């Protein structure tokens, strides 16, 4: 990745809402959030809201979320997302074998439900629409609401991976280890 293909916006050029976000002393502003401030305010605000929702307001447990995010990150070849989410995956109990399997596509170290969700995520990222068998298997276990929640997570992290890659942003100084710890700092 070529660092800083697109520079971070200059704070003085930003709207009052974006400057307030940057200046919030209780908030650690990640590089992905800083670079996203190039977007017009309505898109930036929606992106921030979606990012918060997929880590704070889901019914899917943290471990399953990290299965999804890590698979998206590996398929997207997102060094930026992997920098944060390998540590987050470990923090929620994913083993090194499970994390390596999310990279290689060998999901044998995952639980049966995690394997299904990893396959679903793979098909959504690679093929746009998963196969009928995969959708049917997902619907045997998960409500339509949970499936669409997972699609929201997949889409949010696909977007973040692409923003990070296009802009060429560098990893943050410290990886996020726990979203709860990040929230507690506020």
């Amino acid at each position: 990745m070529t660092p800083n293909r697109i520079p971070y916006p200059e704070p003085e050029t930003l709207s009052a809402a974006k400057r307030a976000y940057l200046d919030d002393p209780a908030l650690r502003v990640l590089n992905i959030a800083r670079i996203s401030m190039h977007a017009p305010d309505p898109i930036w605000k929606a992106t921030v809201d979606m990012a918060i929702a997929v880590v704070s307001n889901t019914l899917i447990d943290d471990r399953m979320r990290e299965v999804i995010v890590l698979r998206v990150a590996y398929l997207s070849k997102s060094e930026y997302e992997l920098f944060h989410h390998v540590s987050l995956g470990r923090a929620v109990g994913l083993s090194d074998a499970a994390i390596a399997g999310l990279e290689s596509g060998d999901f044998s170290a995952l639980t049966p439900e995690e394997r299904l969700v990893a396959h679903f995520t793979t098909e959504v990222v690679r093929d746009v629409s998963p196969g009928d068998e995969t959708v049917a298997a997902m619907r045997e276990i998960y409500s339509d609401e949970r499936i669409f929640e997972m699609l929201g997570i997949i889409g949010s992290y696909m977007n973040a991976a692409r923003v990070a890659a296009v802009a060429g942003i560098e990893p943050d100084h410290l990886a996020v280890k726990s979203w709860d710890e990040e929230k507690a700092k506020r």
Side-chain angles (χ1 to χ4, degrees):
M1 170 177 14
T2 304
N4 293 16
R5 292 170 65 190
I6 298 174
Y8 297 103
E10 294 296 328
E12 62 274 4
T13 67
L14 298 174
S15 68
K18 290 174 182 171
R19 285 194 311 273
Y21 187 88
L22 281 175
D23 293 340
D24 184 343
L27 183 64
R28 178 166 89 136
V29 180
L30 299 176
N31 290 341
I32 192 71
R34 287 178 50 216
I35 200 69
S36 295
M37 290 182 180
H38 279 297
D41 279 14
I43 294 173
W44 170 75
K45 176 75 167 99
T47 301
V48 169
D49 289 346
M50 183 69 154
I52 291 168
V54 300
V55 298
S56 300
N57 300 322
T58 60
L59 296 175
I60 293 169
D61 67 58
D62 293 346
R63 182 179 163 111
M64 188 66 81
R65 183 189 62 242
E66 292 307 320
V67 166
I68 294 167
V69 174
L70 282 167
R71 189 63 181 147
V72 169
Y74 280 122
L75 290 169
S76 300
K77 298 176 178 62
S78 179
E79 294 173 31
Y80 182 84
E81 293 300 332
L82 290 168
F83 175 76
H84 290 292
H85 289 278
V86 167
S87 67
L88 285 163
R90 286 186 180 120
V92 297
L94 289 173
S95 67
D96 288 342
I99 292 169
L102 289 164
E103 178 179 16
S104 69
D106 173 5
F107 305 140
S108 59
L110 300 174
T111 68
E113 283 187 17
E114 290 168 346
R115 283 194 295 270
L116 174 60
V117 169
H119 282 293
F120 174 78
T121 302
T122 300
E123 291 179 26
V124 169
V125 173
R126 284 191 179 160
D127 306 329
V128 180
S129 179
D132 291 341
E133 286 182 23
T134 302
V135 172
M138 288 287 290
R139 291 188 79 215
E140 285 180 22
I141 298 173
Y142 298 104
S143 69
D144 293 339
E145 183 180 30
R146 289 296 74 72
I147 292 169
F148 277 81
E149 184 176 56
M150 289 181 207
L151 287 170
I153 295 167
I154 292 167
S156 180
Y157 279 94
M158 286 177 68
N159 180 61
R162 281 138 185 86
V163 166
V166 169
I169 62 172
E170 71 281 359
D172 297 278
H173 293 294
L174 295 171
V176 173
K177 304 240 185 271
S178 162
W179 290 119
D180 290 336
E181 286 178 23
E182 293 295 317
K183 287 185 271 185
K185 293 176 187 175
R186 292 182 185 186

